């Protein structure tokens, strides 16, 4: 019953197999192998257009260097107040991009367009002292386990365009969002106005596979130097490429994310039939935020379940009472129905 | 005949196997798993003392964050004029540490102690305008394929101590140097006065396994934050740990490095028996710098050999004539006797 | 009627005179002249203890380098949500210190201790992902024209001490706060627990005189290098020293600040006797935030008055109606009673 | 007999007078006053074209932010091995620009064009590991007291153009060089191909007046934010403007530089008639590098002369014997014939 995070899961067998196969040969280093090149082509196909794609070591690196590549001196990046880039990356986005992250409030982990508009308005382009709006970043799926609809992305993208700001998407759980919406990668990104994407594979069955995708290759013209200078260029880069090769083949990635979402949905449904549990936010991808009696949570932990107690956000509509606890449960490709059902059954009996 | 670099090799089967085994289970993320912890203990054993060890994504990261952890404002790091940190990492050490790398000359890729002393003397501790000496970094094995003897490390370490400067060792090819000297890891590092070590596994049979080893854990007290903030903390960190687990088990790492050194030595010996080839520097680890007739190099390339033409350093004693070329050949765990012999045979007939 | 800012005023005649006198002689550069040294001694006397004092070019530099000198990797600085360091310095404090500024709410421009405590609690010292609490900064006088009482500073300092955090004071309007409280410099700073002070002279009659005062000289041990490296070391540093020489002589600085405060108080009293005006916050130093009918503000501007319309903070208790405007008026050593009375009279008749 | 540096001199009376006059009025802050604006126009006139001009606090800031404004990720700036930006600014140019300074050798403090060409050739535009050529910087007058001729600047500018690199000029002693060449500011800068200029006034009679001049205003489009973010925007900016107002009026600046050069020439001529003294480099501006008997230097010091012993550069053709010393003497607007003659007379009798 490992629900602590999707990054507690291992790696999918198909990805392992591909890595093993890759390990037996020689190939050019630093991203110039045939395999690296072929994966770049694969990204073009998946996104139905020419993109520039670069592998990096971590999701934090993907976000930070994405923002660094669109940064302007004195720039501000607007994101949700619970966004990973502002609260969970130890200031790495600020460090690499030289920008300040500005929190925008909104329910269910999503920026409310009117809040975004009014925050941006506080930082006009000639406001030397305050700094100037320079980028917008959305997380898809969000930190609250919800998903921006295509219309909601449109609304954010329109604000970006109206203000001349590039739009970044943190896609650490990109595949989960895609499966939730049932649309194509192109439809969820550049067709909406996304300029740069952090494309995550690690949480969905790879062991280390993160990429930055530039929909306008012009934005990437300095990126090779930026990546090297920030110590993110793997010498044996082709082992990242190999993971993506298996990940993207025959829609493996979509299948894995679909399974994870299904397991989250099974949890959600199970909680729905319990009187003692409530959900903090809608479950739309592979994260479930549940308010449980402390006794249930304790019983589950004693039976080996792993999950995180979650700090109650200031703007959460559901309030947590003194004998309750807010927990986050994350499902992954490796979560089983048995794990879910066992957890629910413990809650039911506690 | 892949001699371009040891990072063109794949990964050793034992390391692959260990990764596959690790992939099937759940475990805590961000370096807090049981496996991560057990590898930390393993490093203590290997170095015969308590050390603080941190995994990072690349050798450039290992060097840059090592230096960042010992940096002082306005600091200067002294290193050989051909060192990786000054010439091959796109300024990453400067970026992360905020220090300037100062080149010190010396033959065979090693800093000459008297040159080091006189360079340091130009930057006294109160020289606000010039910046102040803050660290020394040596590369073991060097970029010239040579190895500092223990006495030579002692000489550098004494200068470090006399000037109150911490000593860093770039051990991207640590195992190769160790096998060349036939000493223990402790004898080549902290027993000589090394404070921080970039411990590389990638070039010697891992696919991505780099660590920073602090011999004084006090130096590492802020490192966890530094690493996260610089986007070098893997979520599935245990897959680095797993590689080191296999790498360090039953002295696999030493065996692999020993093989690589042997292959380099076979090359060296082969060149020695050819009239047409000379060595630019002594071959002491797994790199051979050879001056060949252009015709030989061309013939080898046409037969599939891969190696790099090397820019002639200004202070190289052997001069390269107009119909010759300086090439670098690097051997690895995956180099075979057949590859070596085929290369030599082509040169002999060309 | 120049009420736009105290930095719209010129320089006091005594300061000019001292500068002129200084200009006729030769003296050592970069802060090592006899005059520089004598001013350092003067700061010891003023603060009744040994301090380390360094001149810098701007208030933004004073704040940024103060924070840089107490920064820790992954660190967070807690300050009021309207603080200059978070909203008015274009991210300079983040850039130089590598820290993120975290906004803490509170009425009248002052952090509410319970808010500070709860914000800090979100960032425990082992929270690698979130970053860790590393400093607290208060502004005295505040951006709202109010002044922390000694008890209020004590409350903040206790939180700092409880959490092991250094306490910085942005004293861009230090003298105004001092006159408001009627205490000594020592009583308002290190006797309360302040560790580092941005000591501003520019807004109070100098033309460019800003200093950083370290109450624990140990904190300043790297500062000379930090200042040079950040391009803040004046070659003719003694001209800053000369300004401070006149500024601090015979309590000139206190007299100038007292006059500015008195002029603000005269404005406040005048608004109090008008039915049409309200104050947004109490007037305690040399800034008045008034809510006026738009017609009054317009009439004043047409008669040559200069002031800034102010963006209504989200947490301001007084609400500004559609036909009103919130304005900021700042008085200085150069403000005259005539200016004040003329302004009030225009408002009365509008 | 103050020959330690031109920044040991005070400020010229005309500049003081202008500052005093400015001090009595109110004016807009942060560079938006009428006076600031009028000085910008003055720079257009002096350079005979539209330029973008920005004041900063120090020469180090002028150089660092000039380079920051033309920097590219992974960029390298080529400069003479004795340049201020590489040896005397404590790494500030590296810090602000993110570039590495690469030393180019050449006699008399000037880069030799063929050395520059060969250094640049080591860093081709796709050399991710080494970093790429991104800028060239020349110092005019040089650190050796010499001056690049217009032809020599042309030669450097051609190399810059051939390699697509912007050209920066460190003009800390711009006026001295101008007087030495007898040409116009335009002829020595943009007409030769200079893109950005550090225009120094401090060493030539101001007390703090440094500006960055962009000959292509497009290069300056982000500069206002860059300057604020790096804490270099003065609130009472008009006091810098006031200094430039007097400095540039009626060619005061040229007269002051001419006098300083004349005093250096008088020193040079005096040394020439002494058997015991030699010059290390030609005296072309306001610096004299003399090799004297230690006894002469000592006698001068005992009589109150101030100058710096100079570290012998590795490539200096004249060698300094054991009983000699290399000293640097700098003249300024405030140097008198009496000072010069007294110094020479001491040397003659020692």
């Amino acid at each position: 019953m490992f629900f602590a995070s999707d990054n507690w899961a291992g790696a999918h067998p198909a990805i392992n197999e591909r890595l093993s196969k890759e390990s037996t040969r020689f190939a050019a280093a630093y991203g110039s192998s045939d395999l690296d090149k072929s994966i770049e082509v694969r990204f073009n196909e998946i996104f139905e257009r020419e993109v520039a794609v670069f592998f990096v070591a971590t999701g934090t690196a993907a976000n930070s260097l994405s923002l660094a590549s669109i940064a302007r001196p004195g720039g501000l990046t607007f994101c949700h107040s619970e966004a990973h880039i502002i609260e969970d990356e130890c200031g790495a986005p600020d460090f690499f991009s030289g920008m300040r992250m500005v929190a925008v409030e909104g329910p269910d982990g999503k920026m409310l367009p009117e809040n975004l508009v009014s925050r941006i308005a506080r930082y006009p382009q000639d406001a030397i002292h305050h700094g100037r709006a320079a980028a917008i970043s959305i997380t898809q799926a969000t930190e609250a386990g919800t998903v921006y609809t295509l219309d909601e992305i449109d609304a954010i993208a329109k604000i970006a365009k109206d203000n001349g700001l590039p739009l970044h998407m943190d896609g650490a759980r990109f595949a989960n969002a895609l499966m939730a919406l049932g649309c194509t990668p192109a439809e969820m990104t550049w067709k909406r106005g996304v300029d740069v994407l952090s494309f995550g594979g690690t949480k969905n069955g790879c062991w280390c596979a993160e990429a930055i995708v530039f929909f306008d290759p012009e934005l990437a013209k300095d990126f090779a130097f930026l990546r090297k200078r920030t110590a993110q260029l793997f010498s044996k880069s082709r082992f990242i490429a190999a993971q993506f090769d298996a990940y993207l083949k025959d829609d493996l990635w979509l299948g894995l994310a679909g399974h994870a979402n299904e397991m989250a949905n099974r949890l959600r449904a199970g909680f729905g039939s319990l009187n003692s549990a409530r959900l903090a936010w809608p479950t739309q991808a592979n994260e479930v935020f549940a308010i449980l009696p402390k006794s249930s949570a304790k019983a589950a932990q004693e039976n080996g379940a792993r999950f995180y107690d979650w700090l109650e956000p200031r703007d959460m509509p559901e309030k947590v009472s003194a004998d309750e606890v807010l927990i986050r449960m994350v499902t992954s490709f490796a979560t089983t129905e048995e794990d879910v059902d066992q957890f629910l059954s413990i809650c039911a009996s506690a």
Side-chain angles (χ1 to χ4, degrees), chain A:
Chain A
M1 293 186 288
F2 288 96
F3 299 109
S5 179
D6 30 12
N7 58 34
W8 283 45
H12 189 268
I15 286 164
N16 260 303
E17 211 169 299
R18 184 65 188 82
L19 280 171
S20 291
K21 188 182 147 207
E22 185 61 24
S23 71
T24 59
R25 66 172 195 134
F26 288 87
Y30 297 117
S32 54
S33 78
D34 51 349
L35 179 59
D36 288 277
K37 297 298 175 194
S38 79
I39 295 304
E40 293 181 15
V41 173
R42 191 84 61 86
F43 271 89
N44 291 348
E45 292 163 9
I46 282 171
F47 284 100
E48 304 173 44
R49 66 171 291 162
E50 197 196 336
V51 301
V53 60
F54 295 87
F55 308 145
V56 293
T58 64
T60 294
N63 288 335
S64 299
L65 298 189
S66 288
L67 294 177
S69 68
I70 54 178
R72 303 182 67 189
L76 305 169
T77 296
F78 297 81
C79 60
H80 189 266
S81 53
E82 302 288 327
H84 215 257
I85 57 173
I86 198 170
E87 284 295 344
D88 293 285
E89 299 184 346
C90 199
D94 313 57
F95 172 62
F96 286 105
S97 75
M99 296 202 282
R100 185 156 71 86
M101 307 295 116
V102 177
V104 177
E105 312 284 336
D108 296 345
K110 306 183 208 174
M111 286 188 281
L112 206 60
E114 52 259 43
N115 289 351
L116 178 58
V117 167
S118 69
R119 281 305 267 171
I120 292 175
R122 293 176 76 97
Y123 301 99
Q125 287 302 309
D126 60 351
I128 292 173
H129 302 277
H130 306 314
R132 59 181 161 181
I136 299 174
S137 177
I138 58 174
T139 309
Q140 180 77 326
T142 76
E143 297 300 318
T146 59
V147 174
Y148 282 93
T149 65
L150 296 189
D151 283 352
E152 286 171 337
I153 302 176
D154 277 341
I156 302 287
K158 184 178 184 312
I159 297 168
K161 199 171 177 188
D162 289 350
N163 288 278
L165 305 178
L167 181 57
H168 167 252
M169 179 180 280
D170 176 356
R173 295 187 177 97
F174 187 81
N176 301 289
L178 212 57
M179 292 308 287
L181 292 183
C183 67
T184 67
E187 282 166 358
M188 200 167 81
T189 56
W190 64 270
K191 288 192 175 176
R192 300 269 80 68
V194 173
D195 297 292
V196 193
L197 168 68
S198 298
F199 182 88
T202 308
K203 286 182 157 77
N204 191 34
C206 297
W207 89 248
C208 168
E210 302 289 323
I212 301 176
V213 180
F214 293 94
F215 297 110
D216 175 1
E218 177 65 14
L219 282 176
K221 68 182 194 302
D222 284 331
F223 197 83
F225 284 91
L226 180 60
R227 180 174 60 174
K228 177 66 193 176
R229 180 173 170 74
T230 54
Q232 291 286 339
L233 176 58
F234 286 105
S235 57
K236 297 186 178 172
S237 168
R238 60 181 162 123
F239 284 99
I240 308 289
Q243 291 178 74
F244 276 128
D245 191 27
Y247 184 69
L248 298 173
K249 195 173 183 180
D250 299 335
D251 289 344
L252 175 65
W253 64 308
L254 300 178
L256 300 182
H259 173 80
N261 287 7
E262 208 177 298
M263 291 302 100
N265 198 40
R266 189 176 186 96
L267 267 177
R268 180 201 58 74
F271 286 132
S273 61
L274 290 176
N275 283 333
S276 56
R278 284 166 298 146
L279 296 183
W281 298 291
T283 297
Q284 294 168 349
N286 67 321
E287 294 189 281
V288 180
F289 290 82
I291 302 168
L292 300 182
K294 283 182 177 168
S295 54
S296 301
K298 201 180 163 210
Q301 277 172 320
E302 285 169 358
N303 281 279
R306 291 288 173 274
F307 51 81
Y308 281 114
D309 287 1
W310 211 246
L311 202 58
E312 190 179 346
R314 286 185 288 182
D315 60 350
M316 196 173 76
E318 295 283 333
K319 292 302 157 197
V320 180
S321 72
D323 56 355
E324 289 179 326
V325 64
L326 170 66
I327 68 167
R328 186 189 75 161
M329 303 180 70
V330 193
T331 56
S332 74
F333 79 94
T335 308
T336 63
E337 293 191 359
E338 290 67 35
D339 284 341
V340 170
D341 294 347
Q342 188 188 352
F343 189 96
L344 291 169
S345 143
I346 293 168
C347 288
S349 11

